[in-house]
Amino acid sequence: MRIITTLAASTAIAVTGAAATAGGLAPEVMEAPVVMVDTPMAPTGSINSGYVVLGLLAALVLASASDDDDEAAATTTTAE
């Protein structure tokens, strides 16, 4: 019985000693505070760039269609 009480006492001392140094003996490391930086967005145009591309494509189609009509009209008038 004497050995059991000695083992129980030594176990209790070991557990409390381990709990006391559970955080370690190293100095605390303080984390830097998080700073939120609000960067303004780059200025953008008022219309979508897809509309610009679509408009240029339509202008090219119209320009090519008007060139074909002029050549067809010129050949029909000279052939008469």
Side-chain angles (χ1 to χ4, degrees), residues 69-80:
D69 290 341
D70 291 340
E71 290 175 8
T75 55
T76 54
T77 54
T78 54
E80 287 182 28

Side-chain angles (χ1 to χ4, degrees), residues 28-48:
E28 291 186 25
V29 177
M30 299 298 292
E31 294 183 15
V34 177
V35 177
M36 297 295 290
V37 177
D38 187 21
T39 56
M41 293 179 53
T44 58
S46 61
I47 59 172
N48 191 355

